[in-house]
mmCIF file of all heavy atoms in Angstrom:
data_model
loop_
_atom_site.group_PDB
_atom_site.id
_atom_site.type_symbol
_atom_site.label_atom_id
_atom_site.label_comp_id
_atom_site.label_asym_id
_atom_site.label_seq_id
_atom_site.Cartn_x
_atom_site.Cartn_y
_atom_site.Cartn_z
ATOM 1 N N MET M 223 19.297 -18.692 4.636
ATOM 2 C CA MET M 223 18.632 -17.592 5.354
ATOM 3 C C MET M 223 17.217 -18.026 5.713
ATOM 4 O O MET M 223 16.372 -18.173 4.824
ATOM 5 C CB MET M 223 18.558 -16.331 4.492
ATOM 6 C CG MET M 223 19.906 -15.713 4.172
ATOM 7 S SD MET M 223 19.756 -13.964 3.697
ATOM 8 C CE MET M 223 19.178 -14.078 2.047
ATOM 9 N N ARG M 224 16.957 -18.241 6.976
ATOM 10 C CA ARG M 224 15.595 -18.529 7.399
ATOM 11 C C ARG M 224 14.922 -17.188 7.658
ATOM 12 O O ARG M 224 15.432 -16.392 8.439
ATOM 13 C CB ARG M 224 15.587 -19.400 8.653
ATOM 14 C CG ARG M 224 14.196 -19.769 9.136
ATOM 15 C CD ARG M 224 14.238 -20.870 10.185
ATOM 16 N NE ARG M 224 14.718 -22.164 9.648
ATOM 17 C CZ ARG M 224 13.995 -22.991 8.894
ATOM 18 N NH1 ARG M 224 12.744 -22.672 8.573
ATOM 19 N NH2 ARG M 224 14.498 -24.122 8.466
ATOM 20 N N PRO M 225 13.799 -16.903 7.002
ATOM 21 C CA PRO M 225 13.196 -15.571 7.176
ATOM 22 C C PRO M 225 12.885 -15.274 8.638
ATOM 23 O O PRO M 225 12.419 -16.146 9.367
ATOM 24 C CB PRO M 225 11.907 -15.657 6.361
ATOM 25 C CG PRO M 225 12.155 -16.735 5.364
ATOM 26 C CD PRO M 225 13.065 -17.716 6.022
ATOM 27 N N PHE M 226 13.182 -14.061 9.043
ATOM 28 C CA PHE M 226 12.795 -13.597 10.371
ATOM 29 C C PHE M 226 11.292 -13.352 10.368
ATOM 30 O O PHE M 226 10.690 -13.131 9.311
ATOM 31 C CB PHE M 226 13.501 -12.288 10.719
ATOM 32 C CG PHE M 226 15.006 -12.357 10.629
ATOM 33 C CD1 PHE M 226 15.713 -11.463 9.831
ATOM 34 C CD2 PHE M 226 15.728 -13.318 11.343
ATOM 35 C CE1 PHE M 226 17.109 -11.517 9.749
ATOM 36 C CE2 PHE M 226 17.118 -13.382 11.264
ATOM 37 C CZ PHE M 226 17.806 -12.480 10.463
ATOM 38 N N GLN M 229 10.133 -10.479 8.465
ATOM 39 C CA GLN M 229 10.101 -10.629 7.003
ATOM 40 C C GLN M 229 8.809 -11.304 6.532
ATOM 41 O O GLN M 229 8.263 -10.953 5.497
ATOM 42 C CB GLN M 229 11.337 -11.399 6.524
ATOM 43 C CG GLN M 229 12.598 -10.538 6.613
ATOM 44 C CD GLN M 229 13.877 -11.314 6.358
ATOM 45 O OE1 GLN M 229 14.093 -12.385 6.937
ATOM 46 N NE2 GLN M 229 14.738 -10.781 5.509
ATOM 47 N N GLN M 245 13.259 -0.937 7.823
ATOM 48 C CA GLN M 245 14.526 -0.208 7.845
ATOM 49 C C GLN M 245 15.584 -0.834 6.931
ATOM 50 O O GLN M 245 15.509 -2.003 6.574
ATOM 51 C CB GLN M 245 15.063 -0.129 9.279
ATOM 52 C CG GLN M 245 14.182 0.691 10.207
ATOM 53 C CD GLN M 245 13.806 2.036 9.585
ATOM 54 O OE1 GLN M 245 14.685 2.782 9.154
ATOM 55 N NE2 GLN M 245 12.525 2.347 9.519
ATOM 56 N N THR M 246 16.562 -0.004 6.575
ATOM 57 C CA THR M 246 17.677 -0.466 5.748
ATOM 58 C C THR M 246 18.366 -1.652 6.415
ATOM 59 O O THR M 246 18.561 -1.636 7.626
ATOM 60 C CB THR M 246 18.712 0.671 5.610
ATOM 61 O OG1 THR M 246 18.008 1.877 5.390
ATOM 62 C CG2 THR M 246 19.652 0.419 4.471
ATOM 63 N N GLY M 247 18.703 -2.642 5.628
ATOM 64 C CA GLY M 247 19.444 -3.775 6.167
ATOM 65 C C GLY M 247 18.582 -4.803 6.867
ATOM 66 O O GLY M 247 19.080 -5.786 7.398
ATOM 67 N N GLU M 248 17.273 -4.608 6.880
ATOM 68 C CA GLU M 248 16.389 -5.554 7.557
ATOM 69 C C GLU M 248 16.037 -6.755 6.672
ATOM 70 O O GLU M 248 15.361 -7.668 7.121
ATOM 71 C CB GLU M 248 15.099 -4.850 7.996
ATOM 72 C CG GLU M 248 15.298 -3.903 9.165
ATOM 73 C CD GLU M 248 15.566 -4.665 10.470
ATOM 74 O OE1 GLU M 248 14.780 -5.561 10.800
ATOM 75 O OE2 GLU M 248 16.569 -4.371 11.133
ATOM 76 N N GLY M 249 16.446 -6.696 5.412
ATOM 77 C CA GLY M 249 16.209 -7.850 4.548
ATOM 78 C C GLY M 249 14.939 -7.763 3.723
ATOM 79 O O GLY M 249 14.157 -8.703 3.648
ATOM 80 N N LYS M 250 14.757 -6.641 3.037
ATOM 81 C CA LYS M 250 13.563 -6.488 2.191
ATOM 82 C C LYS M 250 13.622 -7.422 0.980
ATOM 83 O O LYS M 250 12.597 -7.900 0.513
ATOM 84 C CB LYS M 250 13.439 -5.022 1.738
ATOM 85 C CG LYS M 250 13.018 -4.091 2.876
ATOM 86 C CD LYS M 250 12.750 -2.679 2.415
ATOM 87 C CE LYS M 250 14.013 -1.870 2.257
ATOM 88 N NZ LYS M 250 14.740 -1.611 3.509
ATOM 89 N N THR M 251 14.860 -7.678 0.495
ATOM 90 C CA THR M 251 14.982 -8.535 -0.691
ATOM 91 C C THR M 251 14.346 -9.895 -0.440
ATOM 92 O O THR M 251 13.593 -10.406 -1.268
ATOM 93 C CB THR M 251 16.474 -8.717 -1.057
ATOM 94 O OG1 THR M 251 17.153 -7.484 -0.827
ATOM 95 C CG2 THR M 251 16.635 -9.133 -2.492
ATOM 96 N N TRP M 284 20.549 -13.552 -6.729
ATOM 97 C CA TRP M 284 20.593 -13.862 -5.299
ATOM 98 C C TRP M 284 19.390 -14.729 -4.912
ATOM 99 O O TRP M 284 19.516 -15.765 -4.278
ATOM 100 C CB TRP M 284 20.601 -12.533 -4.544
ATOM 101 C CG TRP M 284 20.857 -12.601 -3.080
ATOM 102 C CD1 TRP M 284 21.313 -13.668 -2.361
ATOM 103 C CD2 TRP M 284 20.684 -11.520 -2.144
ATOM 104 N NE1 TRP M 284 21.434 -13.310 -1.041
ATOM 105 C CE2 TRP M 284 21.065 -12.004 -0.878
ATOM 106 C CE3 TRP M 284 20.265 -10.191 -2.264
ATOM 107 C CZ2 TRP M 284 21.010 -11.208 0.268
ATOM 108 C CZ3 TRP M 284 20.214 -9.397 -1.128
ATOM 109 C CH2 TRP M 284 20.587 -9.895 0.133
ATOM 110 N N ASP M 636 23.986 -2.868 0.816
ATOM 111 C CA ASP M 636 24.117 -3.243 2.206
ATOM 112 C C ASP M 636 25.499 -2.825 2.719
ATOM 113 O O ASP M 636 26.509 -3.253 2.179
ATOM 114 C CB ASP M 636 23.987 -4.777 2.192
ATOM 115 C CG ASP M 636 23.715 -5.362 3.534
ATOM 116 O OD1 ASP M 636 23.241 -4.611 4.403
ATOM 117 O OD2 ASP M 636 23.981 -6.557 3.705
ATOM 118 N N ARG M 638 27.989 -3.390 5.419
ATOM 119 C CA ARG M 638 28.279 -4.211 6.597
ATOM 120 C C ARG M 638 29.460 -3.654 7.339
ATOM 121 O O ARG M 638 30.456 -3.240 6.730
ATOM 122 C CB ARG M 638 28.618 -5.636 6.170
ATOM 123 C CG ARG M 638 27.524 -6.282 5.388
ATOM 124 C CD ARG M 638 27.997 -7.655 5.037
ATOM 125 N NE ARG M 638 27.033 -8.297 4.167
ATOM 126 C CZ ARG M 638 26.976 -9.623 4.036
ATOM 127 N NH1 ARG M 638 27.810 -10.378 4.702
ATOM 128 N NH2 ARG M 638 26.095 -10.152 3.242
ATOM 129 N N ARG M 679 22.413 -0.846 10.720
ATOM 130 C CA ARG M 679 21.627 -1.931 10.132
ATOM 131 C C ARG M 679 21.592 -3.133 11.062
ATOM 132 O O ARG M 679 22.545 -3.417 11.758
ATOM 133 C CB ARG M 679 22.190 -2.309 8.755
ATOM 134 C CG ARG M 679 23.413 -3.168 8.801
ATOM 135 C CD ARG M 679 23.972 -3.451 7.434
ATOM 136 N NE ARG M 679 23.666 -4.766 6.924
ATOM 137 C CZ ARG M 679 24.102 -5.916 7.433
ATOM 138 N NH1 ARG M 679 24.798 -5.930 8.548
ATOM 139 N NH2 ARG M 679 23.815 -7.053 6.852
HETATM 140 P P1 ADP V 2078 17.330 -4.099 2.758
HETATM 141 O O1 ADP V 2078 16.955 -4.227 1.328
HETATM 142 O O2 ADP V 2078 16.161 -4.157 3.669
HETATM 143 O O3 ADP V 2078 18.204 -2.918 3.038
HETATM 144 P P2 ADP V 2078 18.821 -6.517 2.200
HETATM 145 O O4 ADP V 2078 17.764 -7.316 1.568
HETATM 146 O O5 ADP V 2078 19.839 -5.902 1.318
HETATM 147 O O6 ADP V 2078 18.216 -5.396 3.144
HETATM 148 O O7 ADP V 2078 19.498 -7.453 3.301
HETATM 149 C C1 ADP V 2078 20.399 -6.919 4.226
HETATM 150 C C2 ADP V 2078 21.286 -8.009 4.780
HETATM 151 O O8 ADP V 2078 20.576 -8.849 5.668
HETATM 152 C C3 ADP V 2078 21.877 -8.897 3.725
HETATM 153 O O9 ADP V 2078 23.254 -9.021 3.979
HETATM 154 C C4 ADP V 2078 21.176 -10.235 3.913
HETATM 155 O O10 ADP V 2078 22.020 -11.287 3.584
HETATM 156 C C5 ADP V 2078 20.826 -10.203 5.378
HETATM 157 N N1 ADP V 2078 19.618 -10.962 5.688
HETATM 158 C C6 ADP V 2078 18.365 -10.653 5.296
HETATM 159 N N2 ADP V 2078 17.470 -11.543 5.769
HETATM 160 C C7 ADP V 2078 18.165 -12.450 6.477
HETATM 161 C C8 ADP V 2078 17.808 -13.621 7.213
HETATM 162 N N3 ADP V 2078 16.550 -14.020 7.332
HETATM 163 N N4 ADP V 2078 18.793 -14.313 7.819
HETATM 164 C C9 ADP V 2078 20.075 -13.905 7.718
HETATM 165 N N5 ADP V 2078 20.477 -12.812 7.036
HETATM 166 C C10 ADP V 2078 19.546 -12.082 6.424
#
Side-chain angles (χ1 to χ4, degrees):
M223 294 201 283
R224 181 167 294 284
F226 304 125
Q229 287 171 311
Q245 295 312 307
T246 318
E248 288 289 308
K250 288 186 279 294
T251 322
W284 189 12
D636 196 21
R638 302 180 185 201
R679 79 183 258 294

